[in-house]
């Protein structure tokens, strides 16, 4: 089955630690996205990538970093510079940016908690 | 910046009712609009996508309409069931960008 997988499902971070969230898709989609979801605030865009080896900052990129070395993978690192990282993180992908039918698909999410 | 608003924030209805969820957006220059469903602690499931040139889309008991000029979309759910209980999110993709701008969602509870 095609889809998006995220791991781990739950992640705990100590103060000062960097942690990496995994996102993999087998949909052959070109574009991938990372969103953060907080209660009562909706989803906010962290980073997105249109093609391999290219990515752009979203609305709340500070304290986060990404890489896109393979089409299938778009890992997100939450660095120690992110002061309030406790949230639900969602990865998404779309077929192609110029496609006329550009439905966005989401993974199951990773819940990150700072201890 | 595109602002997306969903009303009501929460809704409780008895099983079998038809209901309407509302979504409004401030900038009519959109590429498409997508409705999602989210169950507690889960990711988002895409329900319907409406291109900017379309007026509505239907899937089973769901019907979504789009009035781009007035900046509004509605999601109509026919004959609601307890399994429809979830949070429903509206999101728009602007012409000028690639990522979605989300509303905060409507939390729906359908009681038996």
């Amino acid at each position: 089955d095609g889809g998006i997988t995220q791991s781990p499902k739950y992640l705990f971070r100590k103060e000062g630690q960097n942690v990496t969230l995994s996102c993999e898709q087998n949909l052959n989609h070109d574009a991938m996205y990372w969103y953060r979801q907080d209660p009562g605030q909706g989803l906010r865009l962290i980073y997105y990538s249109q093609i391999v080896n290219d990515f752009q900052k979203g609305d709340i990129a500070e304290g986060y970093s990404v890489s896109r070395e393979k089409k299938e993978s778009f890992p997100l690192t939450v660095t120690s510079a992110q002061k309030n990282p406790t949230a639900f993180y969602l990865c998404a992908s779309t077929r192609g940016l110029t496609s006329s039918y550009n439905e966005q698909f989401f993974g199951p999410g990773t819940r990150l908690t700072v201890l | 910046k595109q602002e997306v608003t969903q009303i009501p924030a929460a809704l409780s209805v008895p099983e079998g009712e038809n209901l309407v969820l509302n979504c409004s957006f401030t900038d009519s220059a959109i590429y498409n609009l997508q409705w999602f469903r989210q169950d507690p602690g889960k990711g988002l499931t895409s329900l319907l996508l409406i291109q900017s040139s379309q007026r509505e889309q239907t899937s089973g008991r769901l019907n979504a309409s789009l009035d781009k000029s007035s900046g509004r979309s509605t999601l109509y759910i026919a004959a609601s069931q307890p399994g429809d209980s979830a949070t429903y999110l509206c999101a728009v993709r602007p012409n000028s960008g690639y990522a979605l701008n989300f509303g905060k969602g409507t939390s729906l509870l359908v009681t038996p």
Side-chain angles (χ1 to χ4, degrees):
Chain A
D1 285 335
I4 302 174
T5 58
Q6 292 186 242
S7 62
K9 186 174 182 179
Y10 299 99
L11 186 58
F12 298 91
R13 193 193 92 167
K14 295 180 180 178
E15 294 286 345
Q17 268 187 339
N18 292 351
V19 293
T20 297
L21 285 61
S22 170
C23 176
E24 303 276 334
Q25 54 97 0
N26 61 3
L27 300 167
N28 198 32
H29 283 175
D30 291 315
M32 298 186 73
Y33 311 80
W34 274 105
Y35 294 90
R36 168 179 172 145
Q37 187 176 33
D38 296 278
Q41 291 203 43
L43 276 74
R44 293 179 290 168
L45 181 67
I46 305 172
Y47 269 98
Y48 68 97
S49 169
Q50 303 175 40
I51 56 173
V52 173
N53 293 324
D54 180 71
F55 45 83
Q56 307 294 329
K57 292 182 179 180
D59 299 325
I60 55 166
E62 185 175 351
Y64 300 97
S65 66
V66 294
S67 63
R68 187 88 185 276
E69 298 177 0
K70 298 187 300 182
K71 186 176 183 178
E72 303 80 16
S73 178
F74 191 39
L76 173 74
T77 296
V78 184
T79 75
S80 57
Q82 171 50 238
K83 297 306 178 189
N84 186 22
T86 295
F88 190 48
Y89 291 86
L90 290 157
C91 179
S93 70
T94 52
R95 182 189 310 160
L97 296 173
T98 57
S99 170
S100 60
Y101 192 82
N102 217 351
E103 190 174 10
Q104 194 156 132
F105 295 91
F106 280 78
T110 292
R111 184 164 299 280
L112 173 63
T113 302
V114 174
L115 300 175
Chain B
K1 186 184 185 313
Q2 178 77 269
E3 298 290 337
V4 181
T5 303
Q6 291 187 245
I7 295 173
L11 182 63
S12 180
V13 299
E15 181 177 7
E17 271 202 11
N18 303 324
L19 56 99
V20 174
L21 307 181
N22 296 293
C23 172
S24 62
F25 46 94
T26 55
D27 187 347
S28 62
I30 66 168
Y31 192 80
N32 60 39
L33 183 146
Q34 203 166 347
W35 281 94
F36 295 90
R37 168 188 173 135
Q38 185 176 31
D39 293 287
K42 306 292 186 183
L44 276 64
T45 299
S46 179
L47 297 174
L48 290 163
L49 181 145
I50 310 177
Q51 299 294 341
S52 61
S53 58
Q54 296 176 317
R55 296 285 291 182
E56 66 178 334
Q57 281 285 342
T58 299
S59 176
R61 295 183 293 108
L62 305 179
N63 176 276
S65 68
L66 174 64
D67 184 342
K68 200 170 65 166
S69 61
S70 66
R72 289 186 294 187
S73 176
T74 60
L75 179 67
Y76 175 82
I77 303 177
S80 58
Q81 303 170 358
D84 294 330
S85 298
T87 296
Y88 291 81
L89 296 162
C90 167
V92 299
R93 178 186 159 182
N95 280 336
S96 59
Y98 302 109
L100 299 176
N101 294 306
F102 281 85
K104 294 182 180 180
T106 293
S107 177
L108 173 66
L109 176 64
V110 181
T111 56

